[in-house]
Amino acid sequence: MPIHTLKLKTTRRTQLVNVTQQVQQAVEKSRAASGVCYVYVPHTTAAIMINECADPDVASDLEGAFDRLIPFEGPYRHAEGNSDSHMKSVLVGASQTIFVEGGKLLLGRWQGIFFCEFDGPRDRHLQVKVISKQASFPR
Amino acid sequence: MPIHTLKLKTTRRTQLVNVTQQVQQAVEKSRAASGVCYVYVPHTTAAIMINECADPDVASDLEGAFDRLIPFEGPYRHAEGNSDSHMKSVLVGASQTIFVEGGKLLLGRWQGIFFCEFDGPRDRHLQVKVISKQASFPR
Amino acid sequence: MPIHTLKLKTTRRTQLVNVTQQVQQAVEKSRAASGVCYVYVPHTTAAIMINECADPDVASDLEGAFDRLIPFEGPYRHAEGNSDSHMKSVLVGASQTIFVEGGKLLLGRWQGIFFCEFDGPRDRHLQVKVISKQASFPR
């Protein structure tokens, strides 16, 4: 069960990026038929979430909701001016767990996987690992 | 390691439903002695949490705390009037991971598993999967 | 894949405690070379998070941000005066998932694992489990 690393570039300070297709491609590379997929963010001002991908207004509303929920102005001690970014990342979390069946992510009908940038724009990484008892699809 | 799907009906817009027993029953059906249980919500306006189940006032207080934390009124763009429900779901998360030992969920003394409805009443599903090295209990 | 239980004592009501080294030691005891590590909190007024451990001001800022985000005063029904502690715990979560490679936690450059006390001071436990296909390091 190797780790697949995806690269992405964000363009705004707070930005939810739909990465569902890239994660699905990593699952296909793993050739796991049935198992569990973990997606992990190795950053401290970014996170990973699962939510609606059908209407892009939802992601846009969530971006606004995060910025209203956690104020940019503290009082904060950390000198980099991104303590709010750390807080948002903690609230969403560094990993997600998704079931895999038939070689596909078993997402709900409206669900997609979103990389959550909270201190962009930046170059970012996302790690994907799949565990599975069954060996794999035939080549 | 098949997936067990539980069905539930919620009756209020914001409602925490204790599903500990149903998840425990799914673990027993898996016949796993020792392993890891994942509980997954395939919806985008619901979530799954682990917290106190001894005093029902805690779940009631949490329902109120969510509704005060994330305002129903935006500004939101999404036209379905449930952007707050999506935000609450993201903050709680779509999955939980619990250890299994001796065929039982290894929850802490006061812990239970709660399905979190944030846009009810609705018919909902909850998916449970257990991974385990040891095969199973004897039949 | 046995469970390793770590013990800790907290000294303040809201306190983020860096437990990265203790979790790494539990991974080493498991002798897993490659796999997935789960860290689980069996309490309902504490949680586990992954965030920056390089600058201790970040943890301090997060402690303040939690206390400002979730008010100590309700309206709450639960009579123990710690409903805010339950809410903070739900927002952070009871478990974290981290990849293991080469016998080491695969944390990002600035990431550490923090036990989140939200109703201290108390004696607390933290459970660690590692799953792995490969057997182990040679003794």
Side-chain angles (χ1 to χ4, degrees):
Chain A
M1 43 176 173
I3 293 168
H4 295 265
T5 300
L6 308 176
K7 293 182 184 181
L8 58 161
K9 275 181 191 293
T10 58
T11 58
R12 289 181 280 118
R13 187 167 194 272
T14 299
Q15 182 183 11
L16 305 193
V17 183
N18 187 338
V19 293
T20 312
Q21 286 197 330
Q22 291 98 307
V23 177
Q24 175 58 43
Q25 286 164 4
V27 170
E28 287 164 17
K29 281 182 190 163
S30 80
R31 300 191 300 130
S34 172
V36 179
C37 173
Y38 307 96
V39 187
Y40 185 84
V41 171
H43 307 290
T44 60
T45 54
I48 188 88
M49 73 167 206
I50 294 172
N51 208 261
E52 176 168 336
C53 61
D55 177 1
D57 281 349
V58 173
S60 164
D61 283 351
L62 292 172
E63 292 173 1
F66 275 111
D67 287 343
R68 289 192 297 276
L69 186 66
I70 308 299
F72 175 73
E73 305 283 344
Y76 298 126
R77 290 185 191 176
H78 182 53
E80 295 180 14
N82 61 359
S83 288
D84 66 311
S85 316
H86 289 286
M87 183 63 177
K88 292 165 188 167
S89 302
V90 167
L91 294 177
V92 176
S95 68
Q96 292 291 341
T97 300
I98 309 124
F99 300 150
V100 173
E101 285 299 327
K104 299 282 179 196
L105 291 165
L106 206 69
L107 292 161
R109 182 173 179 186
W110 309 108
Q111 286 183 326
I113 306 169
F114 288 84
F115 181 89
C116 305
E117 173 63 79
F118 291 122
D119 193 29
R122 286 184 188 238
D123 291 331
R124 297 294 202 175
H125 294 89
L126 191 58
Q127 296 167 337
V128 181
K129 187 166 190 155
V130 181
I131 61 173
S132 153
K133 274 190 181 172
Q134 286 95 322
S136 61
F137 293 117
R139 276 181 189 274
Chain B
M1 42 175 174
I3 293 168
H4 296 266
T5 300
L6 308 175
K7 294 182 183 181
L8 58 162
K9 278 181 190 292
T10 58
T11 57
R12 289 180 280 118
R13 186 167 196 271
T14 298
Q15 182 183 12
L16 305 192
V17 183
N18 187 339
V19 294
T20 313
Q21 285 197 331
Q22 291 98 306
V23 177
Q24 174 59 42
Q25 286 164 5
V27 170
E28 287 164 17
K29 282 182 188 162
S30 80
R31 299 191 301 129
S34 172
V36 179
C37 173
Y38 307 97
V39 188
Y40 185 85
V41 171
H43 307 290
T44 60
T45 54
I48 188 86
M49 73 167 205
I50 294 172
N51 208 259
E52 176 166 336
C53 61
D55 177 1
D57 281 350
V58 173
S60 164
D61 284 351
L62 292 173
E63 292 173 0
F66 276 111
D67 287 344
R68 290 192 297 275
L69 185 66
I70 308 298
F72 175 73
E73 305 283 345
Y76 299 125
R77 291 185 189 177
H78 182 53
E80 295 181 13
N82 61 0
S83 287
D84 66 310
S85 315
H86 289 286
M87 182 64 176
K88 291 165 188 166
S89 301
V90 167
L91 294 177
V92 177
S95 68
Q96 292 291 341
T97 299
I98 308 124
F99 301 150
V100 173
E101 285 299 326
K104 299 283 179 195
L105 291 166
L106 205 69
L107 292 162
R109 183 173 179 186
W110 310 107
Q111 287 182 325
I113 306 170
F114 289 84
F115 181 88
C116 303
E117 175 63 81
F118 291 123
D119 193 30
R122 287 185 188 237
D123 290 331
R124 297 294 202 175
H125 293 89
L126 191 58
Q127 296 168 336
V128 181
K129 186 165 191 155
V130 180
I131 61 173
S132 153
K133 274 190 180 172
Q134 286 95 321
S136 61
F137 292 118
R139 275 180 190 274
Chain C
M1 43 176 171
I3 293 168
H4 296 265
T5 300
L6 309 176
K7 294 181 182 179
L8 58 163
K9 277 181 190 293
T10 58
T11 57
R12 290 180 280 118
R13 188 167 193 270
T14 299
Q15 182 184 10
L16 305 192
V17 183
N18 187 339
V19 294
T20 312
Q21 285 198 329
Q22 292 97 307
V23 177
Q24 174 59 42
Q25 286 164 5
V27 170
E28 287 164 17
K29 281 182 190 163
S30 80
R31 300 192 300 130
S34 173
V36 179
C37 173
Y38 308 96
V39 187
Y40 185 85
V41 171
H43 307 290
T44 61
T45 54
I48 189 86
M49 73 167 207
I50 294 174
N51 208 260
E52 176 167 336
C53 62
D55 177 2
D57 281 349
V58 172
S60 164
D61 283 351
L62 292 172
E63 291 173 1
F66 276 110
D67 287 344
R68 289 192 297 274
L69 186 67
I70 308 299
F72 175 73
E73 304 284 345
Y76 299 125
R77 290 184 191 177
H78 182 53
E80 294 182 15
N82 61 359
S83 289
D84 66 310
S85 316
H86 289 286
M87 181 64 176
K88 293 165 188 166
S89 301
V90 167
L91 295 177
V92 177
S95 68
Q96 292 292 340
T97 300
I98 308 124
F99 301 150
V100 173
E101 285 299 325
K104 298 284 178 193
L105 291 166
L106 205 70
L107 292 162
R109 182 172 179 186
W110 309 108
Q111 286 182 327
I113 306 169
F114 289 83
F115 181 88
C116 303
E117 174 63 80
F118 290 123
D119 193 29
R122 287 185 189 237
D123 292 330
R124 296 294 202 175
H125 293 89
L126 191 59
Q127 296 167 336
V128 181
K129 187 166 192 156
V130 181
I131 62 173
S132 153
K133 274 189 180 172
Q134 286 95 321
S136 61
F137 292 117
R139 276 183 189 273

